[in-house]
Amino acid sequence: MELYFMGTNAGVPSLERNVTSLALRMLDERRSFWLFDCGEGTQHQILRSPLKLSKLECIFITHLHGDHLFGLPGLLASRAYQGGDTPLALFGPPGLKKFVNTALDLSESRINYKLNIVEHEGGTVFEDEIFRVESAKLDHRIASYGYRIVEKDLPGKLDTDLLARNGIRPGPLYGKLKRGESIVTPEGNILSPADVLGKPKRGRVVTILGDTRPCPAEIPLAEGADALVHEATFLHELKETAYDYHHTTAKQAAEIANEAGAKSLYLTHFSSRYKYEDQLLLLLREAEAVFPNTRLAREHELYPVMRSS
């Protein structure tokens, strides 16, 4: 599981950075990737990336401001021409369906895959046997949501030596044990999963928050997250400006990470006023003073989500 940023600028694109979009690449877990927000130009960023639109499985939109979804109609249409024929699920606030359908209808765009648009107002928005995605409303000028992506715990390692001593070789019986089912040995003994499975591997948690002022809803979403992605639009010296525009400073993002007990923090959504490396480093240093394990999100870099013990 890896984070791949394709847009880290706030409001409008700049010569240095594109507007918001982030991929969660899950080749080992699902052989696919999920996209969080789709600012204008996202499909161009994907062309410059190791990602393939044919592998895109889900898109999660945090809110309906243009810098977070103006790239969506073009990307949906292009996916059909780039080998994307599998179903695609699109999640976001009320109004998303109208936006997408209007753009596709008026442009007479044709897609040859099933598009399932799910509007939500928080709660559990997605769940299968591998992942659960929870959402909650934040504090922004319009309805903006954060997402908590929870990887379910994985079965522990099989004791293959013990199984071999009981006449069990690799095959379907291994699968039954990993699914939590007991099996019968050739000698007629019953082996339960508890007999042969080690301690389960803790699933990872990734929290990706939309635009927001600091607010209480962030804490449950970010609690214990292995990776927390948080906007850091301004330095703290502009905290009044951040508040007026419903945004967060780098220091405030670090305070949220601290309070939530997150393992790592990735800063993104930088104001265009911070054009140069030394200016971005001021944001980083401000956050590191509060939460040391902070990184600046860099476009077109892969950040592995490490599994904590």
Side-chain angles (χ1 to χ4, degrees), residues 91-168:
F91 302 86
L96 180 61
K97 185 177 295 187
K98 180 180 179 181
F99 172 81
V100 170
N101 288 341
T102 300
L104 296 180
D105 289 346
L106 291 178
S107 61
E108 297 188 9
S109 298
R110 297 178 181 178
I111 58 176
N112 62 350
Y113 55 87
K114 182 179 180 181
L115 177 62
N116 182 30
I117 303 176
V118 180
E119 295 184 337
H120 70 82
E121 295 182 84
T124 299
V125 300
F126 173 92
E127 186 166 13
D128 64 9
E129 67 278 3
I130 307 173
F131 284 94
R132 181 176 69 256
V133 180
E134 302 162 357
S135 181
K137 189 177 181 180
L138 305 174
D139 182 4
H140 195 48
R141 187 160 56 85
I142 63 173
S144 180
Y145 291 85
Y147 293 100
R148 178 181 174 89
I149 303 95
V150 180
E151 180 187 33
K152 297 182 179 180
D153 290 347
L154 303 175
K157 186 178 179 180
L158 283 171
D159 187 338
T160 54
D161 291 338
L162 188 152
L163 289 168
R165 291 196 298 271
N166 281 274
I168 307 297

Side-chain angles (χ1 to χ4, degrees), residues 4 42 118 142 153 168 173 184 189 227 236 248 255 300-301:
Y4 189 90
T42 295
V118 180
I142 63 173
D153 290 347
I168 307 297
L173 293 181
V184 179
N189 299 318
H236 201 65
T248 303
E255 289 170 344
H300 298 296
E301 289 194 18

Side-chain angles (χ1 to χ4, degrees), residues 214-229:
C215 66
E218 295 184 88
I219 304 305
L221 287 173
E223 183 178 2
D226 297 285
L228 167 61
V229 178

Side-chain angles (χ1 to χ4, degrees), residues 76-306:
L76 294 175
S78 294
R79 183 177 185 264
Y81 294 100
Q82 296 184 27
D85 55 7
T86 55
L88 177 65
L90 174 59
F91 302 86
L96 180 61
K97 185 177 295 187
K98 180 180 179 181
F99 172 81
V100 170
N101 288 341
T102 300
L104 296 180
D105 289 346
L106 291 178
S107 61
E108 297 188 9
S109 298
R110 297 178 181 178
I111 58 176
N112 62 350
Y113 55 87
K114 182 179 180 181
L115 177 62
N116 182 30
I117 303 176
V118 180
E119 295 184 337
H120 70 82
E121 295 182 84
T124 299
V125 300
F126 173 92
E127 186 166 13
D128 64 9
E129 67 278 3
I130 307 173
F131 284 94
R132 181 176 69 256
V133 180
E134 302 162 357
S135 181
K137 189 177 181 180
L138 305 174
D139 182 4
H140 195 48
R141 187 160 56 85
I142 63 173
S144 180
Y145 291 85
Y147 293 100
R148 178 181 174 89
I149 303 95
V150 180
E151 180 187 33
K152 297 182 179 180
D153 290 347
L154 303 175
K157 186 178 179 180
L158 283 171
D159 187 338
T160 54
D161 291 338
L162 188 152
L163 289 168
R165 291 196 298 271
N166 281 274
I168 307 297
R169 300 192 176 278
L173 293 181
Y174 274 31
K176 291 187 69 173
L177 288 165
K178 288 185 175 181
R179 291 193 299 270
E181 303 173 30
S182 297
I183 63 170
V184 179
T185 71
E187 295 180 354
N189 299 318
I190 296 176
L191 281 180
S192 71
D195 297 325
V196 294
L197 282 175
K199 183 180 178 181
K201 294 181 182 178
R202 175 187 172 274
R204 288 161 289 183
V205 175
V206 177
T207 298
I208 299 170
L209 301 179
D211 291 4
T212 186
R213 292 169 175 163
C215 66
E218 295 184 88
I219 304 305
L221 287 173
E223 183 178 2
D226 297 285
L228 167 61
V229 178
H230 201 297
E231 67 139 289
T233 309
F234 299 104
L235 284 166
H236 201 65
E237 64 189 21
L238 295 175
K239 60 182 181 297
E240 289 84 6
T241 302
Y243 183 85
D244 290 343
Y245 285 91
H246 294 80
H247 285 299
T248 303
T249 70
K251 179 181 178 182
Q252 289 168 336
E255 289 170 344
I256 292 294
N258 247 345
E259 186 175 350
K263 308 298 188 301
S264 61
L265 171 65
Y266 293 86
L267 302 180
T268 187
H269 201 267
F270 310 119
S271 168
S272 295
R273 72 183 62 208
Y274 307 118
K275 294 181 175 62
Y276 306 112
E277 180 68 14
D278 58 341
Q279 295 172 313
L280 290 176
L281 288 176
L282 291 176
L283 292 160
L284 177 62
R285 300 294 176 251
E286 181 173 277
E288 284 181 325
V290 177
F291 187 84
N293 195 18
T294 300
R295 301 185 74 171
L296 291 173
R298 305 286 191 180
E299 295 179 15
H300 298 296
E301 289 194 18
L302 279 170
Y303 299 95
V305 180
M306 306 307 294

